[in-house]
Amino acid sequence: NPFAGLVSHLRASWLSGKTRPMEYRVAQLEALERFLDDKKQQIMDATASDLGKPPFETELSEILVCKNELHETLNNLSHWMKDEKVDRILAMQLDSAFIRKDPYGVVLIIAPWNYPIQLFLVPLIGAIAAGNCVIVKPSEVSKKTERLVAEALPSYLDKDCFAVVTGGVPETTRLLENKFDYIFFTGTPPVGRIVMTAAAKHLTPVTLELGGKNPCYVSDTCDVTNVARRVAWGRFFNAGQTCIAPDYLLCTLEMQEKLLPALEKAINDFYGPNPRESPDFGRIVSAKQFQRVQRLLGSGRVAIGGQTDEAERYIAPTVLVDVQPSDPIMQEEIFGPILPIVIITNVDEAIDFINSRERPLAVYAFSSDDKVVNRILERTSSGGFCGNDTLMHVTLPSLPFGGIGNSGLGTHHGKFSFDTFSHCRGCLKRGMGRESLNAPRYPPYSQRRFGLIQATLKVARKSDCTLL
């Protein structure tokens, strides 16, 4: 296997204990911040080349998000690393019982192309903070960013403990044949199943950050202008190539008639009368993805936008109406700048529609009535939830980010990243003396001895206390 030597080298480094001291972890995390600072312009250029990503969007979603994660981690790492004391039963009151946060060992991070810096760097921050050695596999689809990461990142990190591997499906397949101690994958459910199958051969634990069709319910009681602006921003940011973008709207026919002119105005306000000429609207990442997204325009009827240019990989911000649940656009994650509207008659029908499908990465709900927002929250299941806005819940490092069911397995961001890449090792340390206290557990057994053991080992249920 072409990667066996690299994995073995990193495993030897990890076994040496090199990555365990907090000072080492801090030094590597600070090096990541220098990478972001020194290579900021190259990151801007690479993401612009790969995705037509505007500088504002790159600064926000690739650089600021990563810096926030770094600062959150550096600010709290000493606290996160401390042993966690636990309650003790009577027999162990004189002993030390605690949870130690151990690194897993050698970790593999497989990143996608849509946020080619953020989606490898954020999990890498957590893996380093937890004391692991790491192999990063950036996406070959975002070619310029892959080259930048492969050429620049190794000069900032310890080469004995961290490595970047490039290539496509054949290289990734061979990479997955090796035994890793943890695998973190971001991508689509079909590839997630392949990764999980490969991990199962070595009984390797995984985190899968997948996608899904994120529903966005808009009630009849809301500020239509605000809804249109927030939905349009979330849907068309990064040209719609965002795993948590609102994938489709659910609303009544009456609300659709109000939303359409508001959405058209929002698009015009954001990108001008011809979004193709806007410096603030991105492009589809590749010809293959362009053709896939373009085919989805055949669903329903185009109400806004619909223009395309294959040479530029340009698809205009588009809204579709008369969309049926059986249409092709409702069968897969769109991952492009198209927003279908599906008509429902009331909130209960919207909830039933959401619950009849695979559980999404995010659910969005808009209403001026907080009871309606809470109803969607309480009666649906998803990786995350955001009321009266889109995307913003993932900018908070204190919230976990991850899917459920078809949209993923496990979470990260902030402390959740540290926890993901840490094994919670249950530890008990007892003294060598006081052997007489252990005598009741040894043979020959008797009922009297069991009574003594039960008295010292059992966990009693606390009695309910009722104040009269």
Side-chain angles (χ1 to χ4, degrees):
N1 185 285
F3 304 109
L6 176 62
V7 175
S8 295
H9 181 75
L10 265 61
R11 191 172 304 285
S13 296
W14 180 73
L15 289 171
S16 74
K18 187 177 187 180
T19 62
R20 287 180 177 262
M22 189 182 77
E23 295 76 14
Y24 178 87
R25 306 182 196 189
V26 168
Q28 298 303 303
L29 292 171
E30 288 176 341
L32 287 183
E33 183 159 26
R34 289 197 301 275
F35 165 75
L36 287 173
D37 289 336
D38 295 349
K39 302 301 178 182
K40 179 178 176 179
Q41 189 56 53
Q42 288 96 315
I43 290 170
M44 300 276 214
D45 295 341
T47 54
S49 176
D50 289 331
L51 291 144
K53 192 172 286 195
F56 182 97
E57 291 189 2
T58 298
E59 283 216 58
L60 173 60
S61 64
E62 305 282 10
I63 295 172
L64 178 61
V65 166
C66 292
K67 283 205 168 192
N68 284 348
E69 286 285 332
L70 277 167
H71 296 165
E72 175 81 3
T73 302
L74 288 166
N75 289 342
N76 295 284
L77 184 56
S78 61
H79 173 67
W80 295 346
M81 286 178 63
K82 286 180 180 175
D83 291 342
E84 183 181 335
K85 302 295 183 183
V86 298
D87 294 336
R88 293 161 294 172
I89 55 178
L90 180 62
M92 297 172 189
Q93 287 299 304
L94 300 177
D95 304 322
S96 174
F98 56 92
I99 299 168
R100 173 150 296 176
K101 312 298 173 60
D102 268 359
Y104 273 100
V106 180
V107 168
L108 173 63
I109 295 173
I110 304 175
W113 50 260
N114 58 323
Y115 290 89
I117 296 295
Q118 179 202 142
L119 294 182
F120 92 81
L121 204 50
V122 170
L124 178 59
I125 291 165
I128 291 174
N132 298 281
C133 290
V134 187
I135 291 178
V136 173
K137 168 61 182 69
S139 173
E140 74 283 3
V141 177
S142 45
K143 296 183 178 65
K144 293 289 179 64
T145 312
E146 178 198 39
R147 185 182 306 164
L148 171 64
V149 171
E151 292 177 355
L153 188 66
S155 64
Y156 287 85
L157 297 176
D158 182 349
K159 293 181 179 63
D160 288 331
C161 299
F162 308 100
V164 177
V165 169
T166 60
V169 173
E171 289 80 7
T172 306
T173 302
R174 299 306 306 276
L175 190 58
L176 284 167
E177 291 171 2
N178 294 276
K179 176 178 170 54
F180 290 95
D181 301 300
Y182 203 96
I183 297 175
F184 189 105
F185 169 78
T186 304
T188 63
V191 182
R193 292 185 182 94
I194 295 170
V195 171
M196 201 169 187
T197 300
K201 293 176 182 176
H202 300 289
L203 298 179
T204 299
V206 298
T207 289
L208 303 176
E209 295 291 9
L210 309 177
K213 296 190 68 63
N214 308 310
C216 180
Y217 171 68
V218 181
S219 79
D220 286 339
T221 56
C222 62
D223 186 316
V224 177
T225 300
N226 289 350
V227 171
R229 291 174 68 84
R230 296 175 194 185
V231 169
W233 177 74
R235 174 69 272 184
F236 304 125
F237 191 93
N238 198 31
Q241 297 164 115
T242 304
C243 60
I244 53 163
D247 199 87
Y248 60 94
L249 285 185
L250 292 169
C251 66
T252 63
L253 186 61
E254 293 77 14
M255 176 49 63
Q256 176 182 278
E257 297 311 305
K258 296 176 184 176
L259 268 176
L260 284 174
L263 284 166
E264 191 163 27
K265 184 177 188 306
I267 292 168
N268 188 76
D269 288 347
F270 293 171
Y271 310 113
N274 184 5
R276 181 176 172 179
E277 298 175 355
S278 171
D280 300 320
F281 186 69
R283 297 295 185 266
I284 305 301
V285 70
S286 68
K288 179 182 176 182
Q289 287 295 322
F290 173 88
Q291 290 157 10
R292 181 191 64 81
V293 177
Q294 187 181 43
R295 284 194 295 271
L296 299 178
L297 289 170
S299 299
R301 173 175 61 85
V302 174
I304 301 169
Q307 300 84 5
T308 66
D309 183 336
E310 186 165 5
E312 281 193 24
R313 306 194 309 275
Y314 167 77
I315 296 177
T318 300
V319 179
L320 300 179
V321 296
D322 301 336
V323 174
Q324 302 303 311
S326 58
D327 284 343
I329 199 165
M330 295 302 293
Q331 308 313 310
E332 63 180 89
E333 186 177 4
I334 297 168
F335 234 62
I338 307 174
L339 180 66
I341 300 179
V342 176
I343 297 301
I344 44 87
T345 56
N346 54 49
V347 64
D348 288 325
E349 188 179 334
I351 290 168
D352 290 343
F353 188 92
I354 294 168
N355 289 339
S356 69
R357 294 172 161 254
E358 295 279 13
R359 289 186 278 185
L361 194 53
V363 164
Y364 299 106
F366 286 86
S367 180
S368 299
D369 185 349
D370 200 44
K371 290 180 180 177
V372 174
V373 174
N374 284 335
R375 192 169 184 181
I376 298 289
L377 171 60
E378 290 163 7
R379 292 189 54 193
T380 61
S381 176
S382 61
F385 177 87
C386 188
N388 292 326
D389 209 342
T390 60
L391 310 190
M392 292 304 292
H393 60 296
V394 302
T395 65
L396 200 56
S398 54
L399 285 178
F401 176 73
I404 180 172
N406 195 66
S407 58
L409 172 69
T411 62
H412 71 304
H413 282 195
K415 185 177 185 293
F416 301 96
S417 292
F418 176 84
D419 291 342
T420 286
F421 290 106
S422 297
H423 165 61
C424 289
R425 188 180 188 184
C427 302
L428 177 67
K429 291 164 66 176
R430 313 200 76 193
M432 279 299 296
R434 303 187 294 274
E435 184 63 6
S436 60
L437 297 177
N438 295 324
R441 78 187 194 209
Y442 300 143
Y445 300 131
S446 70
Q447 196 59 39
R448 177 179 173 276
R449 288 189 169 199
F450 180 77
L452 291 172
I453 287 289
Q454 184 181 42
T456 59
L457 289 184
K458 76 175 182 179
V459 176
R461 183 174 178 183
K462 293 180 180 178
S463 299
D464 292 333
C465 181
T466 306
L467 297 176
L468 300 178

